[in-house]
Amino acid sequence: MSANMPENTPVWVNEHRCKACNICVSYCPAGVLAMRDDASAVLGKMVEVIHPDACIGCAECEIHCPDFAIMVAGRTEFKFNKLTPESKERATAIKQNNFKKV
């Protein structure tokens, strides 16, 4: 199991490292991530895992995070979902909604 991996979780955010740039949200093809308002965060926003069950394990969020603040479980550690039309639509709607959940 990966270091600091929450049990039975496909993707998670280290909020102490995250600067809420929303790059990870913009790369997620399945609408798993979104931004939430967070008054305690530096920019007033924070990444949130809103649909962990839709994660396909592509790791685009982790690969593109400039602050190494988001991690994806390994394929041997978690059984990921397949990309569905519903999750593609959700991802598009999140992007059109300025990366906030819809």
Side-chain angles (χ1 to χ4, degrees):
M1 196 151 82
S2 298
N4 301 320
M5 176 186 163
E7 190 174 332
N8 202 25
T9 304
V11 58
W12 62 100
V13 179
N14 179 337
E15 292 188 4
H16 299 289
R17 296 188 70 122
C18 179
K19 67 180 177 213
C21 65
N22 75 38
I23 291 173
C24 59
V25 181
S26 72
Y27 274 97
C28 181
V32 173
L33 308 169
M35 302 301 293
R36 65 172 157 80
D37 292 332
D38 186 337
S40 65
V42 175
L43 296 176
K45 299 200 180 304
M46 184 51 59
V47 173
E48 181 177 3
V49 179
I50 59 169
H51 289 284
D53 55 319
C55 185
I56 62 172
C58 67
E60 289 294 320
C61 56
E62 182 177 3
I63 291 166
H64 290 93
C65 178
D67 299 305
F68 307 101
I70 192 160
M71 284 71 64
V72 176
R75 295 221 174 259
T76 60
E77 300 160 335
F78 193 86
K79 185 171 177 4
F80 293 97
N81 208 337
K82 294 197 184 301
L83 189 59
T84 65
E86 294 83 10
S87 59
K88 285 182 187 179
E89 288 173 19
R90 185 177 50 246
T92 299
I94 288 169
K95 291 169 185 148
Q96 291 172 344
N97 193 34
N98 200 26
F99 303 109
K100 291 189 176 188
K101 59 181 158 177
V102 289

